[in-house]
Amino acid sequence: MDFAPDESQRAIADLAAQVLRAPGTDDARTTQALAGPAGYDEALWKSMAQAGLLALALPEDLGGDGFGALAVNAVLREVGRQTLPLPALATLALGVLPTVALGTPSQHQLLAGVADGAILTAALRGIPARRDGSGLVLDGAAADVPFAAQADRILIPTEHGVAVVGANAPGVSLVRTPTSTGSPADTVRCESTRVDEADVLAGDPAVLQRFAVAGAAAVADGVIAAAVELTAEHLRTRKQFGKPLATFQAVAQQIADVYVVARTMNLAATSTCWRLDAGLDADDDADVAAYWLAAELPKALQICHHLHGGLGVDITYPLHRYYSQAKDLARLVGGAASRLDAIGVRCSSN
């Protein structure tokens, strides 16, 4: 088992870094993008499309490269490092990867437009559905669907497969829900919403959950890596009693604990993506990645805040964006208690 990135993955990571670290991707631009009508950085999203980053996991007959979760991991990790308001996690991990895995060749046409910037997303909590003729009828609601109002299509897990609906489809309504970062999210309500069989991805809806966790873990990997670098630089340059903060034993122990969280997050994210690409059972790895994200990532960011002192809570300093992103990711995967319960159920059933 070799988790070292290959040449193509390194090239993808370098390209993503080049695009996402463009001048102007700072707090001011983030605030402006969130306040705009789109709710995300449209110019940067277009740049990602033009660079081919949105087509990496698309089938080749749609102009894509046919890569899998590890390639998407490389992009999402850089998105996490920059904590920018972009629908990358929603589109690539919640939309493209599950559709490719579950859909038929004809259903892959649902992905047409993604390479040019079309947005996809998914609900991670299922909505009840019943069969009706040659399709499904959905009645229920799913909360915290990222970028639902901006999406061309929303994937919704049901007991009969994953239904793909439009945000403006008959019977679909959206209610904006708050997030820590300010990025758009909605509760999606379906009232007698009909979905034709051609728009239902057959197979186990848990596949959607696995890719969602893998994507969230990749973003979390980037978030904590960037926070560690920011905090380490602060400790190296900030002095107390004439000495750099990094030379104090208690401080060194705390940043070492955060580093352990960062390396474990990287391993959990990479292992989950690797197993998904290899066609192996990734449930154990995904459960561990989700629990580590929900339980340890927010606590590690709290330590980073503590080590920064008052500077850490200054909204003009980037650390607050990492902490907010960590909280949103933890909520997306269901929170620490629910993820621990999932691990417990898995252990007791083996």
Side-chain angles (χ1 to χ4, degrees), residues 53 71 73 181 193 198:
L53 294 173
N73 175 296
T181 58
T193 301

Side-chain angles (χ1 to χ4, degrees), residues 70-323:
L70 282 170
V72 170
N73 175 296
V75 176
L76 294 182
R77 187 173 193 269
E78 193 59 35
V79 170
R81 291 182 67 89
Q82 305 305 316
T83 60
L84 297 166
L86 293 167
L89 172 61
T91 297
L92 299 178
L94 277 64
V96 172
L97 289 174
T99 302
V100 171
L102 294 172
T104 64
S106 62
Q107 288 175 324
H108 289 169
Q109 295 301 315
L110 295 167
L111 301 173
V114 169
D116 296 321
I119 297 172
L120 304 179
T121 190
L124 300 188
R125 286 101 184 149
I127 289 181
R130 69 178 190 278
R131 291 203 172 275
D132 182 33
S134 60
L136 301 178
V137 176
L138 277 61
D139 278 291
D144 293 324
V145 180
F147 291 92
Q150 292 77 15
D152 292 79
R153 295 182 178 88
I154 303 170
L155 278 64
I156 300 177
T158 76
E159 58 267 46
H160 302 292
V162 177
V164 184
V165 303
N168 298 317
V172 175
S173 61
L174 306 177
V175 179
R176 182 70 179 265
T177 55
T179 61
S180 295
T181 58
S183 293
D186 293 88
T187 293
V188 177
R189 301 183 186 278
C190 294
E191 297 182 7
S192 301
T193 301
R194 179 171 179 79
V195 183
D196 291 337
E197 194 68 34
D199 292 334
V200 178
L201 309 178
D204 187 358
V207 170
L208 170 59
Q209 296 280 348
R210 295 179 194 123
F211 282 116
V213 167
V219 176
D221 181 17
V223 167
I224 190 61
V228 167
E229 291 177 6
L230 186 69
T231 305
E233 179 63 16
H234 172 76
L235 298 178
R236 185 184 68 82
T237 56
R238 183 65 179 262
K239 293 184 177 181
Q240 290 286 350
F241 307 109
K243 297 180 179 180
L245 285 172
T247 62
F248 291 90
Q249 185 178 34
V251 171
Q253 289 173 337
Q254 289 183 77
I255 192 62
D257 289 341
V258 176
Y259 178 76
V260 170
V261 173
R263 294 304 301 146
T264 306
M265 193 74 255
N266 175 263
L267 175 62
T270 306
S271 176
T272 303
C273 291
W274 181 84
R275 294 187 71 85
L276 286 169
D277 279 355
L280 301 173
D281 184 353
D283 285 344
D284 288 346
D285 297 69
D287 281 343
V288 170
Y291 173 72
W292 196 258
L293 186 166
E296 299 299 330
L297 184 66
K299 290 191 292 187
L301 267 295
Q302 288 173 353
I303 294 174
C304 290
H305 273 297
H306 172 70
L307 292 174
H308 274 87
L311 179 62
V313 295
D314 186 342
I315 62 171
T316 65
Y317 189 72
L319 186 59
H320 76 93
R321 288 193 282 125
Y322 300 129
Y323 188 42

Side-chain angles (χ1 to χ4, degrees), residues 32-54:
Q32 182 180 9
L34 291 173
Y40 64 96
D41 193 326
E42 291 182 281
L44 194 54
W45 186 243
K46 183 177 181 180
S47 295
M48 290 184 69
Q50 292 173 339
L53 294 173
L54 305 185

